[in-house]
C-alpha cells in the first residue's frame, strides 16, 4: 500500500506540492488528473527518487516502509516503477540486454536468483507478443530512433517484464494513436486485480476509457482537491477543472 | 555527477598493484655501446644483429626527444634505466606449465587471467613475456603442425635468423623516431609470428606482457608476418604492478601482410596509471605499424587502452598494395591525471585502398585525452576511401577531450569522411537506469559500454568480456 501524508516538495524556489495526501492499495488503479503545472509529474518523480526535488515535509511509504530516504535503485528493488513521460535513449545498448540487466539487478537486490538467458528470452518474447511488438525491438538500442509511440510502448514492455508492485505511469498516453493506446492499456490492465498498485498520471479522460480507474483524484495547486470514482473524470472532461473545484 | 564522487573513486588504489618477488638477474643502470654489446652477447645474438643495434644506438644519439605531443612529462634519464632483466629460471626454461615458477602463475591468477585455465579451456596459445624473457610457451606443437612459427623474439633470432633479418626494421626503420631508434638499440625480447602461405592460424595467439622489475624499462619487439593468403589473430594484454617511479615502455610492433594476407592485432592495455596525482605511472610510448604489402591484404588494429600515466601511440597502416584495407578501432579511457595522445595513421599508396577509423575516447577526473589521426592519400592512390568516426565521452566537468584530424589528399578521386562527436553521460540516462534497478556505477558502465560497442564487437569474445571488466574497474566510482 502506498501512503502519502502531507507531502511538501520544492523545485528550486517554488513549492510545487503543498501538503499532498494519497492512499493507493494493492489491486487498485488510481488516476491523477489536473491542470498543467499542478504538480502531477513532480509527484511521480519524487516517489521514484529523481534529483532536483527537495522534500521539505511529509511522508511517503510503501507497505509501511519509508520511500523518500531510499536511492532510486533501492526503490526499484522495492517494486517502484516509473513509466517516463520522456523515455531516455541509451545508444549501443540493446533493449534485451538492458531489460535483463535491470530485471536481474532487482532480483539480486531482493536476494532472488538471477534469471538465465533462455528463461529471460521466453519472458521477453511473451511480453512483446502481448504488446504486438516486432522482434526487432529486442536488438534495437534502448529508445534510440524510436517514435514517440514506440517509446511509450517500450515503457510498458519494461512494466510487463519487471512487474512492479507500484507502477507510476507519467502521461503514458500522450503521443499515442488509437491502436497504441489500446495496446498500452492492455499491458497496464494485465497488472490489475492482483498485488499491483497503479497510479496513472494523465491529462485526458480517453485513457480512462481503456483503463477504468478505481479512484480518480484531481490535483491542483499542489494538493488533491477532489477525489471520486471514474465519473469524476467524465465530469472533468465535460466541464473542466474549475468546475470540480480546481483552479489552474 | 559531482566532482567529489569522482575524486573518491580516483583515490582507489590500483587493483593490480603488487610486485612479485622473483630473483632476477639485472644489469646495473646505464646505456652505452658496451651495455648493448653485453646485452647482445647475453642473448647469444649473431654479429649482424649487434651491428644493427649499434647502428640504431649511434643514430639515436643524434636525435632529440620529440616535443610536439600534448602530454607533458618530466625529462627521462636514460642512464638511470637498467637495460636487461631476466628471471632466473631462464636457463632451464620450463617444458610445461608444471615447471613454471608458481609465483608467476600466482601473478596471473591475481590478474584474473589464470594461464593454465586459459590455455586449457580457451585453447589460447600463450607466449608469456615476464620481464623481458619468455618463460612459458604452450601449444607450440599444434602450431608447428600448421607451419605457424610463434616464439619469443630471441628464439626466432636463433632458429629463424633469415626471416628475422629479412623483416626486422622493414616497417619501422631504426631511424623512424626517437623511441623506435632506442628500442632498436636495446630491445630485450618480444614475440615473433610467421604464418606461411595459405595457412589460417588455427588459434588466437596471445601474449601477456608484464613489467615486473623495479626500474627496468621495457623495450619489447614484436614482428608478425603473414604470407600470401595467410591469416592470424594476435592478442596482446598487459597490467603492471604498482611502483613509485615512472617507467618508460617503448615497444615496437611491426606487421607485414603479403597478398591477401590478414592480420588482426588486438590490445587490452592496463598498465599502472600512476596515483591520483599521476605519480609513478607507466609512460607508454609505442611505435606500432603495419604494412599491407601485397594486393588485397588487410590489417586491423583494435585497442582498449585504460592504463598508463601517459599513452602516446598511433598504430598505423601503410596501404601499399592495391585493394588493401586498414582498420583502427580504439577505446581509450583516461582518469585521474592520466594523459593520452593516441590515434592512427592510414597511408594510402595503392589503388582502391580503404581505411576505417573508429575512435572512442572516455575521460574522467582531471584526465586529458587527444585523438590525433592522419589520413594521407598519395598521388597514385586512385579511388582511395576513408571513413573516420571520433567520439568523446566526458565524465564530470574537469576532464578534457581533443580531436586533431590531419587529412592530406593528393588524389582527386579519393573519398575521405570524418565525423566527430562529444557527449556526456547524462543525469537523465543515469536516473532512467537507476529507476530500473541498476546501481549508479552499473548505470554509468552500461552507458559507457554502449558507447564503446562498435569497438568491443571487433574483439575476440573472451577479450571483449575482459575489456568490459577492465573498463568497469577503470571507471569505478567516477560518478556521483
Amino acid at each position: 500500500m502506498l501512503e502519502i501524508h502531507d507531502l511538501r516538495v520544492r523545485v528550486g524556489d517554488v513549492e510545487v506540492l503543498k501538503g499532498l495526501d494519497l492512499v493507493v492499495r494493492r489491486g487498485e488503479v488510481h488516476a491523477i488528473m489536473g491542470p498543467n503545472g499542478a504538480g502531477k509529474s513532480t509527484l511521480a518523480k519524487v516517489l521514484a527518487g529523481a534529483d532536483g526535488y527537495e522534500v521539505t515535509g511529509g511522508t511517503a511509504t510503501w507497505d509501511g516502509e519509508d520511500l523518500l530516504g531510499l536511492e532510486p535503485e533501492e526503490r526499484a528493488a522495492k517494486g517502484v516503477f516509473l513509466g517516463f513521460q520522456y523515455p531516455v535513449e541509451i545508444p549501443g545498448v540493446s533493449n534485451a540486454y538492458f531489460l535483463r540487466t535491470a530485471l536481474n539487478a532487482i532480483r539480486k537486490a531482493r536476494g532472488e536468483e538471477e534469471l538465465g538467458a533462455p528463461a529471460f528470452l521466453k519472458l521477453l518474447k511473451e511480453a512483446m507478443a502481448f504488446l504486438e511488438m516486432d522482434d526487432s525491438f529486442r536488438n534495437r538500442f534502448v529508445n534510440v530512433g524510436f517514435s514517440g509511440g514506440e517509446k511509450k510502448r517500450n515503457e510498458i514492455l519494461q512494466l510487463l517484464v519487471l512487474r512492479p508492485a507500484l507502477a507510476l505511469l507519467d502521461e503514458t498516453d500522450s503521443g499515442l494513436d488509437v491502436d497504441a493506446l489500446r495496446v498500452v492499456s492492455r499491458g497496464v490492465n494485465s497488472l490489475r486485480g492482483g498485488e499491483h498498485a497503479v497510479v496513472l498520471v494523465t491529462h485526458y479522460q480517453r485513457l480512462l476509457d481503456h483503463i477504468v480507474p478505481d479512484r480518480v483524484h484531481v490535483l491542483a495547486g499542489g494538493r488533491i482537491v477532489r477525489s471520486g470514482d471514474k465519473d469524476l473524470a467524465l465530469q472533468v472532461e465535460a466541464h473542466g477543472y474549475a468546475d470540480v473545484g480546481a483552479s489552474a | 555527477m559531482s566532482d567529489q564522487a569522482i575524486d573518491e573513486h580516483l583515490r582507489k588504489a590500483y587493483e593490480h598493484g603488487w610486485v612479485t618477488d622473483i630473483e632476477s638477474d639485472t644489469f646495473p643502470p646505464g646505456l652505452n655501446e658496451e651495455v648493448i654489446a653485453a646485452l647482445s652477447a647475453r642473448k647469444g645474438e649473431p654479429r649482424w644483429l649487434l651491428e644493427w643495434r649499434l647502428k640504431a644506438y649511434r643514430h639515436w644519439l643524434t636525435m632529440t626527444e620529440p616535443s610536439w605531443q600534448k602530454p607533458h612529462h618530466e625529462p627521462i634519464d636514460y642512464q638511470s634505466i637498467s637495460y636487461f632483466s631476466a628471471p632466473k629460471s631462464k636457463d632451464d626454461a620450463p617444458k610445461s606449465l608444471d615447471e613454471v615458477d608458481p609465483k608467476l602463475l600466482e601473478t596471473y591468477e591475481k590478474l584474473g587471467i589464470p594461464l593454465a585455465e586459459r590455455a586449457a579451456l580457451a585453447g589460447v596459445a600463450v607466449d608469456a613475456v615476464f620481464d623481458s624473457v619468455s618463460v612459458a610457451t604452450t601449444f607450440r606443437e599444434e602450431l608447428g603442425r600448421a607451419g605457424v612459427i610463434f616464439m619469443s623474439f630471441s628464439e626466432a633470432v636463433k632458429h629463424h635468423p633469415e626471416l628475422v633479418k629479412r623483416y626486422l626494421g622493414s616497417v619501422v626503420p631504426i631511424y623512424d623516431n626517437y623511441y623506435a631508434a632506442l628500442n632498436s638499440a636495446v630491445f630485450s625480447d618480444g614475440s615473433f609470428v610467421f604464418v606461411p602461405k595459405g595457412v589460417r592460424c588455427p588459434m588466437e595467439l596471445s601474449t601477456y606482457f608484464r613489467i615486473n622489475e623495479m626500474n627496468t624499462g621495457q623495450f619489447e619487439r614484436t614482428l608478425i608476418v603473414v604470407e600470401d593468403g595467410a591469416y592470424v589473430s594476435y592478442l596482446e594484454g598487459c597490467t603492471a604492478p604498482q611502483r613509485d617511479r615512472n617507467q618508460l615502455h617503448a615497444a615496437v610492433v611491426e606487421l607485414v601482410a603479403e597478398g591477401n594476407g590478414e592480420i588482426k592485432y588486438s590490445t587490452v592495455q592496463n598498465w599502472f596509471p600512476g596515483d591520483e596525482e599521476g605519480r609513478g605511472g607507466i609512460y607508454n610510448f609505442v611505435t606500432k605499424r603495419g604494412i599491407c604489402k601485397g594486393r588485397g591484404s588487410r590489417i586491423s588494429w583494435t585497442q582498449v587502452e585504460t592504463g598508463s600515466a601517459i599513452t602516446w601511440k598511433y598504430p598505423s597502416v601503410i596501404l601499399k598494395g592495391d585493394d588493401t584495407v586498414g582498420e583502427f578501432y580504439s577505446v581509450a579511457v583516461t582518469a585521474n591525471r592520466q594523459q593520452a595522445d593516441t590515434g592512427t595513421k592510414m597511408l594510402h599508396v595503392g589503388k582502391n585502398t580503404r581505411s576505417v577509423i573508429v575512435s572512442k575516447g572516455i575521460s574522467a577526473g582531471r584526465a586529458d585525452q587527444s585523438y590525433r589521426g592522419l589520413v594521407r592519400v598519395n598521388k597514385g592512390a586512385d579511388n582511395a576511401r576513408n571513413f573516420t568516426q571520433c567520439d568523446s565521452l566526458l565524465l564530470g566537468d574537469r576532464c578534457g577531450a581533443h580531436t586533431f584530424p590531419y587529412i592530406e589528399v593528393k588524389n582527386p578521386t579519393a573519398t575521405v569522411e570524418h565525423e566527430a562527436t562529444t557527449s556526456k553521460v547524462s543525469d537523465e540516462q543515469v536516473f532512467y537506469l537507476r529507476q530500473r534497478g541498476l546501481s549508479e556505477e552499473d548505470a554509468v558502465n552500461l552507458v559507457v559500454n554502449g558507447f564503446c560497442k562498435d569497438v568491443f564487437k571487433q574483439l575476440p569474445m573472451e577479450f571483449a568480456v575482459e575489456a568490459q571488466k577492465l573498463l568497469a574497474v577503470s571507471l569505478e566510482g567516477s560518478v556521483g
Side-chain angles (χ1 to χ4, degrees), chain B residues 94-102 105 115-117 119-120 126 136-138:
Chain B
K95 314 273 180 302
S96 74
L97 286 175
D98 303 338
E99 298 175 30
V100 172
D101 189 329
L105 295 177
L115 182 62
E117 197 185 317
V126 178
T137 305
T138 52

Side-chain angles (χ1 to χ4, degrees), chain A residues 71 73 80 82 155 158, chain B residues 429 432 434-436 453:
Chain A
E71 296 295 331
E73 60 269 31
V80 178
L82 173 62
E155 292 293 287
Q158 295 168 38
Chain B
Q429 284 173 319
Y432 188 68
R434 291 179 77 188
Q435 208 302 303
R436 294 299 185 256
K453 185 173 185 99

